[in-house]
Amino acid sequence: MYSQGLIGADGRSTESAEFLARFQARIDAEDKIEPNDAMPEGYRRTLIRQIGQHAHSEIVGMLPEGNWITRAPSLRRKAALLAKVQDEGGHGLYLYAAAETLGVSREEMTEELLSGKAKYSSIFNYPTLSWADMGIIGWLVDGAAIMNQIPLCRCSYGPYARAMIRVCKEESFHQRQGYELCMALAFGTPDQKAMVQDALNRWWWPSLMMFGPHDADSQHSDQSMAWKIKRFTNDELRQKFIDATVPQAEYLGLTLPDPDLKWNDAKGGYDHGPIDWSEFWRVVKGQGPMARDRIKARKKAWEDGAWVREAALAHAAKRAARKIAAE
Amino acid sequence: MVWQALLELADDHLVLGHRLSEWCGHAPMLEEDLALPNMALDLIGTARTLYARAGEIEGAGRDEDALAYLRGERDYRNCLLVERPNEDFAHTMLRQLYFAALMKPYWEAAMGSSDPVVQGVAGKAVKEMAYHIRHAGEWVIRLGDGTEESAARMRDAVAALAIYVDEMFDDSPAALAAAGVLPRRADLRGAFDATIAAVFSGAMLDQPAAPYAQRGGRDGLHSEGLGHMLAVMQSLHRQHPGAVW
Amino acid sequence: MTQTTPLWEVFIRPRNGLAHKHAGSIHAADEVLALQAARDVYTRRGEGNSIWVVRSADIYASDPDQTAENFDPAADKVYRHPTFYDIPDDVGHM
């Protein structure tokens, strides 16, 4: 799960114009860039930041859904949700590894997340208040993530593209399990239907915000597009997402909470009402009920686990010493 | 009764699987955030098949969810070990090792069950338990023979869980009545002890001397923690009687 | 200063008869934990039946700056390929 709203990358480079032109020619020829290849500092910095934010989003993203694993209302749902949250952890792991090929360690990235220096997708700062949120997150949040992630499989940086191919393969079950969960509620008892409509009302706008600011206000897009780190603009992907989602909501008999949402024949897509960007920036900056709790939970896991990681390293050192002594 | 014996076995698996699932997103390292749910999913999967089979044999129309979500703590028949709280990674890994060290020979014996469903579960579970022994065992070795702190925590876990080991080998009247369908747990102590001895010697740990054996799980006499676990687990299901999820 | 846990590269063989292929990376303190982590992370959907793990630090890679001198000289040695040689059809398959 991921928002492509890359926040605050510095794509400036100080290399010679000739070097940059040679690099751009490789990118334009769809040549993949691999870890040891020469690359502009700005390209490396942008990637570290984007892959890091992506990885952090997956890891923090385990928490809102993890909130319901112990309360899943059937054993079948419990197994599916657990497997899904586990996948998010795996995605974080693949992505940290992709970032590590650029010369930054997982430990460094983790410390940046825990200190609040690194950002993650704002969507995970919203609380999950009912079981229906599990369905809506799978359907909308993972749905939005898939829109973002499929183009990333063709990203110019080889390790990121390869990680994304694996992520996308696994992700395909997430959206389906979410939608199926929503179906059970939408076609269930009146209470269940009310639960899923309430969840949709709360998650619709944050899901649209996942695509990041409008193109006109997105300062990093141009350079990322030129370097083929990114292949579609925020608004293009958001439009694709809305057009795909509206009929799915209709099938469920649910109402999207936007009175301005209507089909526009001329553009062959839906128009939507204005997005409250002040809320977006508030949540990104860590305001709201969950931001502090999310980081606190990650910090606790990291700190509580320190003695385990230290023990494993200490034992490995003893094993190595014994092996040498035995030889 | 066979269905009650299957039920207590299912309870063991669900309760332990639920405990492991509580770790998801909070493990000491990302790799364990994936490993712990793998083990939890193995256990929950086994529980589901056993509940379904128990309900079928009982013949009162209870499915897996009715059995898992609509019984209270006095009706749960799991052994006490599996409901012990996670505490820390040392307790969690030792609890897992103990359970798997019993269940691997148990499922091996159950492969000759007269019940085809139990036979099927056994064939799958025996491999899962072999891996759980290895995964938990390697961690017990590393924690026991790691740093001073990890060794102290490991010894603490051994001391804390020692009183729950004997009960694992008790055969309830229901279990004894299921002879031929399910193995006798009392027969499996030797295999269990051998597994634990091998791991403990690598972990520089002494075999636990239990001051006494705590029993009661098979009679529905649990610690207070199980009630809280079930309160969380069952809350949503019970709020919507008859709903389909 | 945080201690760093070593990075390992994971290779999976999808089935017998095929070669192990790079699947990704994991962190682990030693080779036993590395194999278990690789199993738990990279084979959850039946991806394979054999795993290799190699410490990332133990991999020596060719220098991308030497790519041209390493690999371009092979490009014009067409006589290494069977299609370079003309054999009349009458001879049959060779």
Side-chain angles (χ1 to χ4, degrees):
Chain A
M1 292 193 279
Y2 169 62
S3 135
Q4 79 159 12
L6 175 64
I7 298 150
D10 177 3
R12 282 172 306 173
S13 283
T14 53
E15 291 82 1
S16 69
E18 194 206 340
F19 175 85
L20 291 173
R22 235 185 5 245
F23 184 77
Q24 191 61 49
R26 283 189 65 186
I27 299 278
D28 293 342
E30 296 289 334
D31 195 5
K32 294 283 181 210
I33 307 303
E34 293 294 342
N36 296 330
D37 291 354
M39 61 184 85
E41 253 331 286
Y43 179 82
R44 180 190 302 275
R45 253 198 326 266
T46 302
L47 275 171
I48 288 180
R49 200 170 178 101
Q50 172 161 344
I51 302 173
Q53 282 179 14
H54 193 163
H56 297 326
S57 300
E58 301 282 355
I59 299 306
V60 176
M62 296 175 81
L63 299 171
E65 288 177 284
N67 183 36
W68 282 89
I69 289 173
T70 54
R71 290 180 284 174
S74 74
L75 296 181
R76 175 175 177 271
R77 293 286 176 206
K78 192 186 192 68
L81 183 62
L82 184 53
K84 192 212 171 210
V85 178
Q86 180 194 41
D87 271 357
E88 310 296 359
H91 299 171
L93 194 154
Y94 312 151
L95 288 162
Y96 280 132
E100 286 180 273
T101 63
L102 292 159
V104 54
S105 73
R106 189 199 287 180
E107 285 85 354
E108 285 169 330
M109 286 184 278
T110 302
E111 275 158 17
E112 286 204 342
L113 171 68
L114 300 186
S115 72
K117 198 174 154 216
K119 298 283 179 239
Y120 56 89
S121 187
S122 57
I123 195 91
F124 304 117
N125 282 340
Y126 291 88
T128 52
L129 300 178
S130 82
W131 171 250
D133 293 29
M134 300 303 98
I136 296 289
I137 288 178
W139 171 31
L140 297 185
V141 177
D142 287 280
I146 291 168
M147 293 273 170
N148 283 321
Q149 288 172 344
I150 288 176
L152 285 174
C153 295
R154 294 189 295 128
C155 157
S156 62
Y157 187 57
Y160 192 22
R162 290 193 286 275
M164 289 318 302
I165 288 170
R166 183 172 277 275
V167 168
C168 285
K169 264 190 205 162
E170 297 185 356
E171 197 89 55
S172 57
F173 110 74
H174 296 182
Q175 194 185 15
R176 289 172 67 100
Q177 72 85 33
Y179 193 73
E180 192 215 61
L181 201 163
C182 289
M183 279 171 56
L185 300 176
F187 303 142
T189 66
D191 280 353
Q192 285 177 307
K193 182 158 187 187
M195 191 195 289
V196 70
Q197 180 65 57
D198 168 65
L200 180 58
N201 294 348
R202 283 182 287 113
W203 289 94
W204 173 250
W205 291 106
S207 300
L208 296 189
M209 292 176 200
M210 279 179 75
F211 294 93
H214 285 306
D215 297 345
D217 308 319
S218 179
Q219 24 181 330
H220 312 293
S221 263
D222 291 351
Q223 184 60 74
S224 285
M225 295 279 281
W227 277 335
K228 297 191 179 174
I229 293 172
K230 191 171 158 177
R231 289 183 177 258
F232 294 97
T233 70
N234 297 351
D235 285 331
E236 283 167 353
L237 288 169
R238 187 165 20 240
Q239 186 65 50
K240 243 173 103 167
F241 173 74
I242 294 171
D243 293 345
T245 307
V246 172
Q248 294 165 353
E250 281 167 4
Y251 179 85
L252 294 174
L254 298 177
T255 309
L256 293 169
D258 178 358
D260 298 326
L261 192 72
K262 59 175 179 297
W263 179 255
N264 178 335
D265 236 350
K267 79 171 181 185
Y270 286 89
D271 289 331
H272 62 83
I275 295 173
D276 180 0
W277 291 110
S278 62
E279 173 182 325
F280 174 77
W281 289 112
R282 270 200 311 276
V283 178
V284 165
K285 288 183 182 125
Q287 295 181 16
M290 293 315 295
R292 185 170 168 275
D293 294 1
R294 297 282 185 242
I295 292 300
K296 215 173 124 189
R298 288 310 310 162
K299 221 176 188 159
K300 183 172 184 333
W302 184 247
E303 285 166 6
D304 287 356
W307 69 272
V308 177
R309 299 189 298 274
E310 283 160 16
L313 290 169
H315 182 83
K318 288 184 194 178
R319 269 163 66 97
R322 280 175 208 149
K323 205 172 152 192
I324 290 167
E327 273 164 11
Chain B
M1 301 281 272
V2 170
W3 74 270
Q4 288 164 318
L6 290 171
L7 199 56
E8 58 184 45
L9 198 55
D11 288 346
D12 283 352
H13 286 77
L14 178 60
V15 170
L16 186 57
H18 185 99
R19 283 289 186 228
L20 283 180
S21 78
E22 292 170 353
W23 272 104
C24 187
H26 309 280
M29 64 207 69
L30 211 34
E31 282 73 8
E32 285 300 311
D33 265 322
L34 277 89
L36 293 161
N38 274 347
M39 294 196 283
L41 288 167
D42 289 343
L43 296 168
I44 292 168
T46 298
R48 290 182 63 190
T49 313
L50 293 172
Y51 280 133
R53 185 63 175 148
E56 198 176 79
I57 297 176
E58 185 200 22
R62 293 201 281 181
D63 64 6
E64 59 178 55
D65 289 334
L67 290 169
Y69 287 92
L70 299 176
R71 287 181 305 133
E73 55 192 291
R74 290 285 284 114
D75 300 321
Y76 261 71
R77 287 289 184 271
N78 57 280
C79 63
L80 297 173
L81 176 88
V82 295
E83 72 191 54
R84 297 314 303 154
N86 290 334
E87 298 262 353
D88 65 10
F89 198 65
H91 280 72
T92 298
M93 284 297 121
L94 185 65
R95 188 184 62 195
Q96 199 62 28
L97 175 68
Y98 281 165
F99 185 72
L102 164 61
M103 292 314 292
K104 180 170 174 281
Y106 185 92
W107 290 120
E108 274 165 358
M111 287 171 83
S113 169
S114 58
D115 184 287
V117 175
V118 172
Q119 244 185 50
V121 173
K124 182 180 81 87
V126 78
K127 295 177 230 168
E128 294 169 351
M129 291 304 113
Y131 183 72
H132 294 199
I133 290 176
R134 209 143 54 76
H135 190 88
E138 293 292 351
W139 271 114
V140 168
I141 289 170
R142 275 153 191 78
L143 301 179
D145 184 25
T147 62
E148 264 179 50
E149 181 182 2
S150 72
R153 283 174 180 269
M154 205 63 241
R155 285 193 301 272
D156 183 48
V158 170
L161 297 182
I163 58 172
Y164 302 106
V165 172
D166 284 348
E167 187 205 26
M168 296 167 69
F169 298 92
D170 291 349
D171 288 291
S172 66
L176 290 172
V181 175
L182 294 171
R184 270 165 50 100
R185 294 186 176 90
D187 297 340
L188 307 170
R189 186 69 194 240
F192 173 90
D193 285 341
T195 301
I196 300 304
V199 172
F200 275 30
S201 93
M204 314 278 180
L205 287 169
D206 293 325
Q207 291 273 20
Y212 70 99
Q214 183 63 52
R215 298 187 149 86
R218 304 287 182 214
D219 297 317
L221 298 168
H222 297 278
S223 52
E224 290 177 353
L226 182 71
H228 289 271
M229 192 197 106
L230 294 180
V232 170
M233 189 180 100
Q234 298 176 341
S235 57
L236 177 62
H237 186 96
R238 285 179 182 261
Q239 277 164 33
H240 300 267
V244 176
W245 301 96
Chain C
M1 173 68 200
T2 315
Q3 279 180 295
T4 56
T5 301
L7 186 66
W8 301 73
E9 300 306 318
V10 177
F11 300 83
I12 309 267
R13 186 175 64 205
R15 59 174 192 272
N16 283 7
L18 297 178
H20 287 76
K21 191 170 169 252
H22 188 237
S25 322
I26 47 98
H27 285 266
D30 62 54
E31 70 283 1
V32 177
L33 293 182
L35 280 168
Q36 293 191 352
R39 180 262 189 198
D40 282 316
V41 173
Y42 289 106
T43 67
R44 287 174 291 134
R45 289 177 168 83
E47 288 92 337
N49 68 5
S50 171
I51 302 171
W52 289 347
V53 290
V54 182
R55 263 180 202 269
S56 311
D58 287 340
I59 292 181
Y60 294 89
S62 61
D63 184 342
D65 289 341
Q66 297 169 343
T67 301
E69 64 201 62
N70 275 337
F71 307 112
D72 288 356
D76 65 350
K77 312 294 192 291
V78 286
Y79 42 80
R80 287 197 173 110
H81 298 281
T83 47
F84 178 74
Y85 303 94
D86 286 327
I87 305 287
D89 289 347
D90 308 349
V91 178
H93 178 73
M94 184 178 281

